Each structure stands twice: as C-alpha cells, then as structure tokens.
Amino acid sequence: MVQHRLPFEKEIYDMEELLARLESSGDGQLGRSDEIRRIRRDLANLKRMIYSNLSPWDTVLVARHPDRPQTVDYINLIFEEFVELHGDRAIGDDRAIRTGFARLGDFRVMLVGHQKGHDWKERSECLFGCAHPEGYRKALNKMRLAAKFRLPIICLIDTPGAYPGIGAEERGQAQLIATNLLEMSQLPTPIICVVIGEGGSGGALGIGIGDRVSMLEHAYYSVISPEGCAGILWRVANDETKARAAAALKMTAKDLARLGVIDDIIPEPLGGAHRDHAEMANTLKTYLMRYLRELRGLPVDELLEQRYQKFRRMGVFVEEPASAT
Amino acid sequence: MATGSMPERKRGVPEGLWLRCPQCKSTIFRKEAESRFNVCPECDYHFYVSARERIRQLLDADSFEEWFTELRSCDPLGFIDRKPYAQRLEDERAKTGMIDAAVVGRGYIRGRPVVLGVTDFAFMAGSMGSVVGEKLTRSVEEALRLKLPLIFVSGSGGGARMQEGILSLMQMAKVSAALGRYDRAGGLYISILTNPTMGGVAASFALQGDFTFAEPGALIGFAGRRTIWNTVKLELPEKFQTSEFLLQHGFIDRIIHRKDLRTEVARIIDYCEY
C-alpha cells in the first residue's frame, strides 16, 4: 500500500529512508552504528520540530490522515471487549456511527464513535464518517440504554460533518441533532467525549455533549469546515483560502483550550497518532480511565449541575451598563 | 430601551412605495402588504419582518418588556475576513439599528403572559454567536423561574455564527441544555420557524419545541442547498427544505399563516393550561 504522505512530512520520510538503508546494510561496523544512532536522534528532533510548529491547516491534514487511528482501531487497542449494538429502531443501521457495550479495565461502558474508514471500501460503506439522522438516533437510543443501566458513555468524535444529502434532510438531520443536544444535556450518567480526529460542526456536537470534552493534540473542532468557510468568505476554496480559514476559525486543540471549550489536550506520539497507534491508544486509555474514575460516584444531580454549568459558561461577550446604551 | 428610536430603513425590505413579490412577481403597494402582516395580498408570500415588527404582530400592544439589552458581542477570535468582525458588528448595528441578532423579553399574547425571543435575519443573517446564545439561554432560565410559556421565533439563515468559531457551536449546546432543564421541569416551549431557519439554529433550539410551527414557504433545513448539490450532484426535489416539505416528512406540527400566529399560539397555551 502506498503511504499517504503529507507535504510537510517530506523531510521526515527522506530521513526515514536513509535510516532504513543504513540499517539494512548493517554490517556491524562500529562507525556505522554511531551514525545510525545519530540519525535516529536527528529524526526524533525533526519530528518534534515539525509537529510542534504545525500550522492550523497542517493540523487539519494530520487530523484527516487516512492512517490515523479511528474508533474501530481504538476498540481493538483499548477495550477488552466490544459488543456492537446495531440499528436505530426506525430506519436502519448507520455505519458512520458505531455503538455498543465495551469493557475498559474494571469499567463497563457504552461506546459511541464515528467511523470514517481507512480504505475505499470501508469509506464508502460509512460515507467517510458523515452520519445520517439514523446514526444520531441510534447513538441516542444506545446512550439512553446506558443511562438506564447506569453505565458511563464514551463518545469518540471523528467526522467531517453530518451528511449533507437529500435523504438526510428528508429524514430530519437538524431534528435528530437538536434532539441529541437536548437529551445528552440531561442524561443521568457520566458522558466523556473525545475528538480523536475531525470535529466537524453539528455532526460532531451531535454526540459531543458531555461531562468531559477533550481533544487529541492534532485533532480539530470547528463550527464549519475550512473549505466551507473559505467558500463563503473568499468565494473559492483553494490552498491559500483554506489555510486562511483554518487559521481564522481557531480550531486547533490549543485554541479550544484557550477559549475554555475543552478540558484537556491529549498528547499524541511524536510525529502524530498515525505513526504509532499503540502508543496513542495507551495515552487515550489513561485519560479515559482517569475521567471514568473522576466521574464515578458523583451523585447524579451534581453530575448534571456540573454538566449544565460547563456549557453555561461558554461564550465571550461584554455587559455594558444600561446607561451606556 | 426605546424602540421608537430605531431607524426606519431595514435591510431585507427594499425601500419605496411599491414592492415586487419574489413569488408571484406582482407589484404591490407597500402599505397594503404592511397592513396585511407583510404578506403578499396576491399570493400569500411571506415577506421578511424585523424582530421589532414581529413582536408588534405577536404581542398585545405595548406589552413587551425587553431584557438583557446590555449584552454586546466582542471579537474573541480576532476574526478577519473581508473586514474585521468588530467592524462588521459596527456596520451591522448601523445598518439595522439592532445591537445583535436576537431580541428577547416578556409580554402578553391575548392576555397570556409569555417569554418571547426572536432572531432577526437582517443582523448577520440572524446567526447565533455568544450574545444570541446568552440572551436565549437567559430567557429560557427566566421562563423557568417565572413559570411562563416560552416562544422562540427563528429567522436564522446562517445558523451558528462563523466569526465566533467554536464558541458559536457551543451556544447550540448552551441553549439546548437550558431548554433541556426547562423541558424536564414541565415548561411549555413553542418554536416558530420563519424564513430561513438553517444550520446550527435548526439543529438546536429551533427544533426542540414541544410544538413546532412554521410560516408558509419558509426555508428550513440543516445543510445548505449548494453543499448538498455539491455532494450528491442530483436535482433537488421540488419544495425541498420548505415548511411544506418538513410538514410532509413529519417534522412540524402546523404551517400557520402569519396573520393567525397570535391566535394559534394563544390556543396552544390554553390547551396546555400553562
């Protein structure tokens, strides 16, 4: 399979190739192994340098990397068991959102997550992670089940946005997302949301109301896609306007932390989650376990009050005394 | 706040003695349309009405008490597109005479006390930023505290306001959480959709009512038509994303002519004995 190479990673790949050549020609010479060590160190520094200076648009590209771990990868890497529960009891089984029971350490949880797919076949099956109304209905059905049986809920968010299509509108895309926002704000069980890749607007928020909301280091979360924003503001979405839009929208994890929207930035392996699924999964697991422990045992009314206040505080405005108007 | 000091000129309604109806193309005398709730006398096309005019049409005369007028948008992202957001806000205020896209407060509908919130398309397409979100949230909380019915009239083409980025998206969550509490406490919420109600506004408070009413012919939906067309490359069905389309697909309770809104809302309040 051809590797997907991001433009700003060229130097990394060049150095990796050089390193691979040296390692494979390994004839055990002393001088050679020193060189290999040096290059390994340089490579780590290079990755650190590049990945600590990603532009917002670069971040979008990393968040969309086809090799980036997705919900199903985390299911395999983090959870001891997954019992998928299909269907929304009305229309069908949306493959862009997966739901089911899972075990995480001592915890039994309800897992809800977007799935974008890695290869073409999987991607066309789950429409690149763009859910229809039935996906949001399915998610809410399973979350209600979780609340009924007092299981915490984990939502992994990874979508370019809710599907913009004729059927989606006919079946109430806006209605189903609206219902989820209202219901999730009131569900009497802990909800943990993590944006693992793309946090695309209402499609992300539709499973994004929780007691903890965090983002992976190179994920993005935005009110509109950079393409959509560029198209509206500059009439045309090209590389230049998309980059401008990505910067203007303040959509990176750092931006959201600064704006008080997320709880934590969950660090990624050196050079991004796509370079080391196992390490990424491990880190994510640590955070999820911590959140579950923090929220366990919190009385329900306190949990709901805290959730209410969490979103209640969001927004920036000024209050001028009436005399000034 | 003095409502009488508002400038007469409004975006969304062309000036002059005569109006041309975009639906039936007939030329109509402005005064006649105005005397009929800004509805075309020939074909019932519902023209844009400002938040102020909406309030005049819905509430008993002089019963409106406006709330939270001291809230002002600022520019938390330092957002610059063709002009800086701070400048855009100034221009919109000058153009519309409004401070932001929502007007909220309390008043009476045929003698029944209500909390009312209206978003106005003229101000940045009625989009929801922090101030709109905060005003609506506070009015839900007041409706809960005062045990009053709540009515929101949505006219928001833009949905969530792009210029405030993720904070606008989070207003959807904030208002929804307030409406969730109000709902659990038994509150009565009537949502009235007007042209247009799209995106993040449709996907939050506009479609969270106990009752969802719409004016005839309003554009209501999640994704914009162009976005959908770019995705599916198919001809969009006739009446796609209109009030009539939503009624047919089961998402709204009633389509109500503007002249009847007052009566119909009062009737629902009476049924719920709220």
Side-chain angles (χ1 to χ4, degrees):
Chain A
M1 205 181 86
V2 186
Q3 258 174 336
H4 183 84
R5 297 181 167 202
L6 302 175
F8 55 85
E9 289 186 310
K10 183 174 183 310
E11 283 179 79
I12 295 175
Y13 283 112
D14 289 349
M15 201 181 277
E16 277 175 347
E17 269 161 37
L18 175 66
L19 185 64
R21 260 205 313 280
L22 285 173
E23 282 173 336
S24 66
S25 71
D27 39 14
Q29 294 170 11
L30 262 176
R32 202 31 87 75
S33 63
D34 279 351
E35 200 184 347
I36 289 175
R37 250 198 308 279
R38 184 180 57 77
I39 292 177
R40 281 193 188 136
R41 205 172 45 238
D42 288 353
L43 182 60
N45 286 335
L46 180 66
K47 285 179 187 167
R48 194 168 296 120
M49 202 261 291
I50 289 176
Y51 269 80
S52 55
N53 290 299
L54 291 182
S55 73
W57 177 245
D58 294 339
T59 303
V60 172
L61 296 178
V62 175
R64 290 176 179 168
H65 199 295
D67 299 334
R68 191 176 173 82
Q70 302 177 359
T71 293
V72 168
D73 302 306
Y74 290 120
I75 287 173
N76 295 326
L77 290 165
I78 296 182
F79 297 91
E80 278 101 83
E81 186 177 61
F82 179 61
V83 184
E84 183 162 9
L85 299 166
H86 296 270
D88 73 335
R89 302 299 187 272
I91 307 280
D93 183 42
D94 192 332
R95 302 308 290 152
I97 292 184
R98 308 294 165 92
T99 52
F101 286 136
R103 283 183 190 274
L104 183 64
D106 297 337
F107 291 96
R108 291 165 296 130
V109 303
M110 179 63 80
L111 183 73
V112 176
H114 292 108
Q115 177 68 13
K116 296 202 298 189
H118 288 295
D119 57 27
W120 190 84
K121 185 174 170 291
E122 195 192 3
R123 288 175 158 217
S124 47
E125 184 193 46
C126 51
L127 300 173
F128 296 77
C130 298
H132 275 73
E134 39 276 28
Y136 294 100
R137 186 185 290 109
K138 171 168 84 170
L140 183 59
N141 282 352
K142 309 312 173 197
M143 289 192 281
R144 281 187 170 135
L145 265 183
K148 180 175 175 188
F149 297 107
R150 295 269 173 268
L151 299 187
I153 297 162
I154 293 175
C155 295
L156 301 181
I157 295 165
D158 191 12
T159 179
Y163 192 81
I166 296 169
E169 296 290 325
E170 285 172 342
R171 302 197 293 276
Q173 191 71 283
Q175 177 69 69
L176 273 292
I177 292 175
T179 303
N180 278 19
L181 302 189
L182 188 142
E183 292 299 325
M184 286 182 83
S185 76
Q186 306 297 321
L187 273 183
T189 195
I191 307 176
I192 295 162
C193 305
V194 180
V195 184
I196 58 171
E198 295 189 79
S201 194
L205 193 65
I207 57 166
I209 311 292
D211 305 293
R212 295 287 185 278
V213 179
S214 291
M215 286 171 76
L216 300 194
E217 187 181 352
H218 303 305
Y220 79 85
Y221 195 0
S222 178
V223 67
I224 186 171
S225 71
E227 288 85 352
C229 177
I232 292 171
L233 293 183
W234 297 290
R235 305 278 178 249
V236 51
N238 56 35
D239 284 350
E240 196 246 319
T241 56
K242 282 188 287 191
R244 275 170 73 185
L249 286 165
K250 303 277 189 291
M251 50 165 56
T252 67
K254 266 189 201 148
D255 292 324
L256 268 75
R258 202 176 311 125
L259 291 166
V261 173
I262 57 169
D263 294 292
D264 289 300
I265 300 173
I266 300 177
E268 298 196 13
L270 194 57
H274 56 284
R275 289 212 150 70
D276 194 338
H277 287 202
E279 189 189 328
M280 184 69 257
N282 237 334
T283 312
L284 178 58
K285 182 174 181 174
T286 309
Y287 276 83
L288 293 177
M289 294 290 284
R290 197 188 88 204
Y291 296 149
L292 287 166
R293 267 185 242 112
E294 286 169 358
L295 296 168
R296 174 165 59 186
L298 210 58
V300 166
D301 25 344
E302 205 172 308
L303 180 80
L304 291 180
E305 175 62 19
Q306 285 181 17
R307 189 183 305 160
Y308 188 81
Q309 294 305 335
K310 178 182 181 60
F311 290 94
R312 186 68 190 82
R313 281 190 298 269
M314 289 186 193
V316 176
F317 52 84
V318 288
E319 272 190 275
E320 285 177 12
S323 59
T325 58
Chain B
M1 173 175 169
T3 50
S5 65
M6 268 175 43
E8 280 303 298
R9 208 168 70 81
K10 288 280 196 326
R11 183 194 292 170
V13 181
E15 285 174 87
L17 274 175
W18 300 91
L19 280 175
R20 191 171 157 81
C21 174
Q23 186 167 282
C24 69
K25 312 291 179 211
S26 48
T27 305
I28 41 182
F29 194 43
R30 169 187 295 277
K31 283 266 187 274
E32 187 179 5
E34 279 173 3
S35 70
R36 295 167 183 257
F37 296 85
N38 299 78
V39 172
C40 174
E42 303 293 327
C43 73
D44 270 349
Y45 174 81
H46 283 49
F47 287 97
Y48 157 84
V49 290
S50 68
R52 298 288 167 201
E53 179 57 26
R54 172 73 64 186
I55 291 162
R56 267 193 289 272
Q57 290 180 3
L58 272 179
L59 297 187
D60 300 347
D62 299 321
S63 74
F64 186 60
E65 170 196 326
E66 188 174 354
W67 290 339
F68 316 125
T69 53
E70 65 285 2
L71 299 183
R72 297 284 181 284
S73 292
C74 37
D75 182 12
L77 307 190
F79 196 96
I80 298 174
D81 46 87
R82 282 166 308 205
K83 54 179 152 175
Y85 177 45
Q87 182 62 49
R88 189 175 290 281
L89 285 168
E90 282 306 314
D91 295 352
E92 293 285 315
R93 284 173 191 144
K95 247 177 234 161
T96 61
M98 297 181 69
I99 288 159
D100 213 293
V103 179
V104 303
R106 63 180 290 178
Y108 290 84
I109 291 187
R110 296 200 186 286
R112 297 154 187 83
V114 296
V115 171
L116 174 68
V118 182
T119 60
D120 191 324
F121 183 73
F123 194 101
M124 293 193 74
S127 58
M128 174 161 61
S130 298
V131 163
V132 173
E134 183 69 19
K135 278 189 170 184
L136 297 179
T137 303
R138 287 189 190 183
S139 39
V140 180
E141 289 172 340
E142 281 301 285
L144 178 60
R145 191 176 67 83
L146 299 167
K147 297 189 166 34
L148 290 179
L150 174 71
I151 299 155
F152 281 162
V153 184
S154 307
S156 299
R161 188 176 295 172
M162 194 167 57
Q163 288 82 352
E164 291 184 34
I166 193 74
L167 295 172
S168 298
L169 193 73
M170 292 303 142
Q171 301 311 304
M172 295 165 61
K174 183 164 93 179
V175 184
S176 298
L179 284 167
R181 277 202 164 173
Y182 179 70
D183 173 61
R184 293 305 185 267
L188 163 61
Y189 167 32
I190 300 170
S191 175
I192 300 171
L193 314 180
T194 72
N195 185 41
T197 300
M198 296 293 291
V201 166
S204 60
F205 65 87
L207 288 170
Q208 291 169 339
D210 297 302
F211 302 91
T212 311
F213 296 153
E215 289 190 342
L219 180 72
I220 304 160
F222 181 68
R225 293 177 67 96
R226 199 186 314 151
T227 311
I228 294 173
W229 194 87
N230 283 336
T231 308
V232 300
K233 309 272 192 221
L234 288 171
E235 184 112 5
L236 302 177
E238 208 189 331
K239 301 237 168 207
F240 186 59
Q241 295 184 321
T242 59
S243 309
E244 293 72 19
F245 177 88
L246 265 82
L247 183 80
Q248 186 198 337
H249 289 280
F251 293 101
I252 52 184
D253 291 290
R254 294 171 70 76
I255 294 176
I256 300 176
H257 192 289
R258 191 175 285 159
K259 69 174 162 45
D260 301 322
L261 272 175
R262 237 167 98 71
T263 313
E264 293 249 6
V265 167
R267 184 159 64 176
I268 292 294
I269 293 173
D270 290 350
Y271 265 100
C272 299
E273 283 196 334
Y274 195 78

